[in-house]
């Protein structure tokens, strides 16, 4: 069902926009047999953007699902450990110095990696039950990044502030190249995390229980942390800090499919990808020709869904 | 399988947690087909002792041997087939069903590429049946009562089916009938593998009823162990709990009560 939703969202995203393209022309355009303006719009504008949206959403869905297990908290999201804060600081610095898109993305990725390293080094502890320590370290670091981000915003000139805000809200309008490399990384991360899916099931009961059932808890936690952080870093450096996908999607999937991560992980990838593609479609079309940052749309969808889930959780 | 096999051996073991000395120079052997009860005051370190036996807490000195092999040398999965641990309590942060919990307990027996075999599905069904949880197998664990949660955790341990069973207050939250029934189920399961049970109790009467041997943790690292008849006396219990305990007799039955 999720695969169908993914396909539907991809096709809709390619066909719809400020200029609609007949759905029956899509196969011919994608196979290259039809050319012209329609084909150009699809292959040069919409396809790179749609693919980037799908991959970014998938990365965030996966990172969220992993982060929730790592922190033993179903309300955790990929940004909670400050990895996105590091990325934002990097990106905003690049924008401050007037550097181009490539630099902004690269700088964001470097910031995310720096933040990941800091969290890892600062929260390394010999004790089990380390999720609480990790969470606190990450949250405090995130607050630190937040302060730096505010300073950069205050010091920036008017034109930079606009780019900065778009970046911070999450924005896909800069996607001009199909991000094949990111797709490959997404597939690899999904596969690797799927290989420890059973260990992740055990980790949800706590480190002690997981260890007593034979899981190599320390190794699994390290792997999960690195995968979640990398997925977050790649997603954020491609599209800024798009909110709610990494929180809502895994949570929703757990409510529908249960807690078996052999299902939850691939479903979170497909669900995250589809949702972001649809949200981006909304961002492009709702106020067309004015484009909204996609993060605004995901938050608008995310807030009511999240509140509903929270109520559901309390009653359930 | 050799029935007199030593399942667990502690050699000159010192355990500390914070500034509490749990045991000093503990020498203790658990052989197959024994049921041990551990008694002691709150905070004396009973759970820490269990954590040390299962590798979750490191001893300050001395050795823990599981089936004559040092604990640290056991591969994780192989150890989980021999040593099972019923925790005092588990928190369930994620929406898991009883069935999913029991399925996850098969972890040491299946690798990533395998699905459950018919036999393994049967083991889960049997475990749910003896713990009287069959009709609740699709329920979310968080929606269960305390006693039902406890039985779910016991069902999971039955699926794991180890040889050495560490039970931390196994009858917590259970009603009187289920206290007796669950202990019988656990002991029977351990006997099937010529295994042994070590059980933390706060009720000396349950210990007396089910245990062949007793370990008293007396605080400040001192301990006393031996067969139940020798250790479980009103006098020793009074000392242990710093509270007068008397033994009442009725025909061939006897019970400890706090005076």
């Amino acid at each position: 069902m999720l695969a169908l939703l993914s396909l539907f969202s991809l096709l809709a995203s390619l066909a719809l926009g400020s200029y609609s393209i007949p759905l029956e022309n899509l196969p011919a355009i994608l196979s290259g047999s039809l050319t012209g303006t329609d084909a150009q719009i699809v292959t040069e504008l919409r396809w790179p953007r749609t693919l980037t949206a799908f991959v970014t959403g998938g990365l965030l869905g996966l990172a969220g699902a992993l982060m929730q297990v790592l922190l033993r908290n179903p309300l955790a999201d990929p940004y909670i450990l400050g990895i996105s804060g590091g990325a934002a600081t990097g990106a905003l610095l690049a924008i401050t110095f007037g550097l181009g898109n490539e630099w902004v993305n690269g700088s964001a990725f470097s910031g995310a990696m720096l933040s990941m390293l800091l969290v890892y080094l600062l929260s390394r502890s010999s004790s089990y039950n380390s999720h609480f320590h990790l969470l606190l370290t990450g949250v405090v670091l995130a607050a630190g990044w937040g302060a730096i981000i505010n300073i950069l915003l205050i010091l920036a000139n008017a034109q930079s502030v606009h780019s900065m805000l778009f970046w911070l809200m999450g924005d896909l309008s800069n996607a001009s190249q199909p991000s094949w490399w990111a797709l490959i990384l997404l597939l690899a991360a999904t596969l690797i995390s799927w290989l420890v899916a059973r260990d992740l099931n055990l980790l949800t009961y706590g480190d002690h229980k997981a260890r007593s059932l034979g899981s190599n808890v320390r190794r699994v936690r390290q792997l999960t942390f690195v995968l979640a952080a990398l997925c977050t870093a790649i997603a954020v450096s491609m599209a800024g800090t798009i909110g709610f996908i990494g929180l809502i999607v895994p949570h929703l999937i757990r409510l529908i499919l249960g807690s078996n991560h052999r299902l939850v992980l691939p479903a979170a990838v497909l669900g995250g990808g589809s949702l972001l593609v649809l949200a981006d479609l909304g961002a492009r079309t709702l106020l067309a020709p004015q484009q909204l940052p996609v993060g605004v749309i995901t938050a608008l969808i995310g807030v009511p869904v999240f509140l509903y889930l929270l109520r559901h959780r309390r009653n359930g | 399988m050799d029935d007199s096999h030593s399942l667990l051996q502690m050699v000159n073991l010192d355990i500390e947690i914070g500034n509490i000395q749990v045991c000093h120079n503990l020498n203790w052997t658990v052989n197959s087909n024994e049921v041990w009860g551990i008694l002691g005051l709150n905070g004396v370190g009973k759970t820490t002792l269990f954590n040390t036996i299962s590798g979750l807490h490191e001893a300050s000195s001395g050795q823990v041997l599981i089936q004559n092999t040092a604990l640290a040398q056991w591969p994780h999965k192989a150890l989980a087939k021999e040593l099972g641990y019923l925790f005092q309590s588990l928190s369930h942060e994620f929406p898991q069903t009883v069935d999913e919990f029991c399925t996850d307990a098969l972890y040491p027996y299946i690798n990533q590429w395998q699905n459950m075999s018919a036999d393994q599905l049967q083991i889960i069904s049997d475990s749910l049946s003896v713990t009287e949880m069959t009709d609740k197998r699709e329920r979310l664990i968080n929606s269960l009562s305390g006693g039902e949660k406890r039985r779910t955790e016991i069902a999971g341990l039955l699926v794991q089916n180890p040889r050495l069973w560490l039970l931390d207050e196994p009858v917590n939250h259970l009603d009187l009938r289920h206290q007796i029934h669950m202990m019988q189920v656990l002991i029977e399961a351990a006997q099937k593998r010529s295994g042994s049970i070590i059980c933390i109790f706060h009720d000396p009467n349950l210990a007396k009823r089910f245990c062949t041997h007793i370990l008293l943790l007396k605080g400040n690292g001192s301990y006393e162990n031996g067969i139940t008849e020798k250790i479980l006396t009103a006098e020793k219990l009074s000392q242990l709990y710093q509270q007068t305990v008397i033994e009442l007799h009725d025909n061939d039955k006897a019970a400890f009560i706090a005076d």
Side-chain angles (χ1 to χ4, degrees):
Chain A
M1 204 192 77
L2 271 166
L4 281 178
L5 176 69
S6 307
L7 192 65
F8 166 76
S9 65
L10 289 176
L11 288 178
S13 172
L14 290 178
L16 299 175
S18 48
Y19 176 83
S20 289
I21 286 160
L23 204 57
E24 61 267 24
N25 287 354
L26 275 182
I29 291 171
L30 290 176
S31 64
S33 56
L34 192 75
T35 52
T37 319
D38 281 9
Q40 217 175 356
I41 288 175
V42 170
T43 54
E44 285 176 22
L45 293 176
R46 289 193 190 154
W47 171 241
R49 183 161 175 162
T50 301
L51 184 69
T52 304
F54 188 83
V55 172
T56 305
L59 286 166
L60 290 175
L62 181 64
L66 294 174
M67 209 63 99
Q68 289 170 0
V69 177
L70 193 68
L71 299 171
R72 274 197 86 200
N73 189 337
L75 299 182
D77 81 350
Y79 304 148
I80 199 161
L81 293 184
I83 291 159
S84 57
T89 306
L92 263 53
L93 274 174
I95 296 171
T96 303
F97 292 116
L99 301 172
N101 262 335
E102 296 299 311
W103 280 94
V104 173
N105 293 354
S107 178
F109 188 78
S110 313
M113 287 294 104
L114 174 69
S115 195
M116 166 179 154
L117 201 67
L118 278 176
V119 177
Y120 181 76
L121 291 177
L122 291 174
S123 68
R124 239 185 345 176
S125 102
S126 58
S127 70
Y128 284 91
N129 268 341
S130 44
H131 61 276
F132 196 62
H133 196 80
L134 179 62
L135 181 62
L136 274 178
T137 310
V139 166
V140 167
L141 268 180
W145 290 123
I148 300 177
I149 290 165
N150 284 337
I151 294 172
L152 289 172
L153 281 171
I154 288 166
L155 296 180
N157 61 42
Q159 202 195 344
S160 304
V161 166
H162 189 259
S163 317
M164 286 177 175
L165 286 179
F166 255 68
W167 194 94
L168 286 173
M169 285 185 273
D171 181 28
L172 289 159
S173 58
N174 290 326
S176 53
Q177 299 288 321
S179 33
W180 292 112
W181 59 274
L183 179 66
I184 291 166
L185 286 174
L186 171 64
L187 290 175
T190 310
L191 181 69
I192 294 171
S193 57
W194 191 82
L195 289 174
V196 292
R198 282 206 170 100
D199 298 84
L200 297 176
N201 288 348
L202 301 191
L203 272 187
T204 62
Y205 305 115
D207 289 8
H208 279 190
K209 179 72 184 167
R211 171 78 196 269
S212 84
L213 278 169
S215 173
N216 190 339
V217 170
R218 197 164 299 181
R219 211 183 59 194
V220 173
R221 288 188 69 89
Q222 280 169 352
L223 179 69
T224 308
F225 174 74
V226 170
L227 280 176
L230 271 178
C231 289
T232 309
I234 298 166
V236 171
S237 56
M238 285 197 301
T241 46
I242 295 171
F244 282 99
I245 297 273
L247 171 66
I248 294 295
V249 170
H251 202 91
L252 202 64
I253 299 283
R254 282 185 218 285
L255 283 178
I256 300 167
L257 290 179
S259 294
N260 182 358
H261 286 84
R262 283 156 69 89
L263 295 175
V264 168
L265 296 176
V269 172
L270 291 178
S274 314
L275 190 61
L276 191 54
V277 168
L278 292 176
D280 183 51
L281 180 59
R284 285 190 282 126
T285 53
L286 283 181
L287 291 182
Q290 168 77 38
Q291 297 210 358
L292 294 168
V294 68
V296 171
I297 306 288
T298 58
L300 284 178
I301 304 172
V303 170
V305 173
F306 184 74
L307 291 175
Y308 169 77
L309 287 176
L310 211 60
R311 268 190 77 82
H312 189 93
R313 184 173 137 84
R314 203 178 295 152
N315 298 339
Chain B
M1 211 173 284
D2 179 7
D3 270 7
S4 63
H5 196 74
S6 121
L7 291 186
L8 170 70
Q9 226 180 328
M10 301 191 195
V11 188
N12 303 327
L13 199 68
D14 275 22
I15 304 173
E16 285 155 33
I17 182 159
N19 49 10
I20 297 170
Q21 177 97 44
V22 176
C23 56
H24 176 58
N25 207 14
L26 175 66
N27 286 286
W28 175 32
T29 302
V30 174
N31 293 309
S32 50
N33 296 312
E34 292 177 348
V35 180
W36 280 81
I38 300 180
L39 282 80
L41 286 173
N42 291 148
V44 79
K46 301 181 292 295
T47 299
T48 305
L49 176 60
F50 269 12
N51 285 345
T52 311
I53 297 172
S54 52
L56 304 173
H57 180 85
E58 222 159 294
S60 332
S61 65
Q63 258 202 314
V64 178
L65 303 171
I66 307 282
Q67 297 178 26
N68 300 317
T69 301
L71 184 63
Q73 284 173 8
W74 280 89
H76 290 72
K77 273 192 175 186
L79 182 64
K81 292 180 193 172
E82 303 300 322
L83 179 72
Y85 189 168
L86 183 73
F87 291 88
Q88 200 175 106
S89 64
L90 279 184
S91 67
H92 297 271
E93 310 291 340
F94 292 83
Q96 274 125 348
T97 63
V98 172
D99 217 27
E100 284 172 329
F101 182 79
C102 289
T103 307
D104 288 337
L106 279 173
Y107 178 87
Y109 297 95
I110 35 183
N111 72 37
Q112 193 60 41
W113 307 104
Q114 282 172 320
N115 280 316
M116 280 181 288
S117 66
D119 285 349
Q120 286 167 332
L121 285 171
Q122 190 59 46
I123 288 170
I124 293 176
S125 291
D126 293 345
S127 303
L128 290 170
S129 164
V130 290
T131 49
E132 300 172 14
M133 289 302 294
T134 306
D135 56 334
K136 300 191 175 66
R137 63 190 296 171
E138 299 299 333
R139 288 268 299 273
L140 289 178
I141 295 177
N142 273 334
S143 71
L144 300 173
S145 77
E148 289 166 340
K149 263 186 204 166
R150 199 57 174 158
R151 271 146 56 203
T152 302
E153 285 155 15
I154 291 173
L157 199 65
L158 291 169
V159 171
Q160 189 184 347
N161 192 25
R163 270 194 88 190
L164 182 63
W165 304 59
L166 304 180
L167 311 176
D168 195 347
E169 302 186 30
V171 298
N172 261 2
H173 305 292
L174 296 180
D175 60 55
L176 206 56
R177 181 175 77 81
H178 281 111
Q179 290 188 10
I180 304 299
H181 181 55
M182 286 302 104
M183 282 311 299
Q184 287 166 339
V185 164
L186 286 161
I187 289 171
E188 195 181 314
Q191 279 170 349
K192 273 191 193 146
R193 287 199 65 190
S194 301
S196 287
I197 284 179
I198 309 174
C199 204
I200 293 173
F201 276 127
H202 282 301
D203 180 352
N205 293 308
L206 278 177
K208 186 173 170 129
R209 176 165 181 161
F210 292 109
C211 297
T212 59
H213 296 72
I214 300 288
L215 170 72
L216 301 180
L217 288 183
K218 298 170 152 183
N220 298 322
S222 70
Y223 70 94
E224 187 172 355
N225 61 356
I227 57 169
T228 305
E229 291 75 27
K230 212 177 99 196
I231 303 290
L232 222 49
T233 63
E235 189 195 344
K236 286 190 199 291
L237 287 172
S238 301
Q239 279 172 8
L240 183 76
Y241 291 118
Q242 295 149 30
Q243 159 78 40
T244 311
V245 174
I246 52 176
E247 191 171 14
L248 294 182
H249 293 268
D250 178 34
N251 294 327
D252 58 335
K253 302 245 192 279
F256 296 108
I257 59 161
D259 194 21

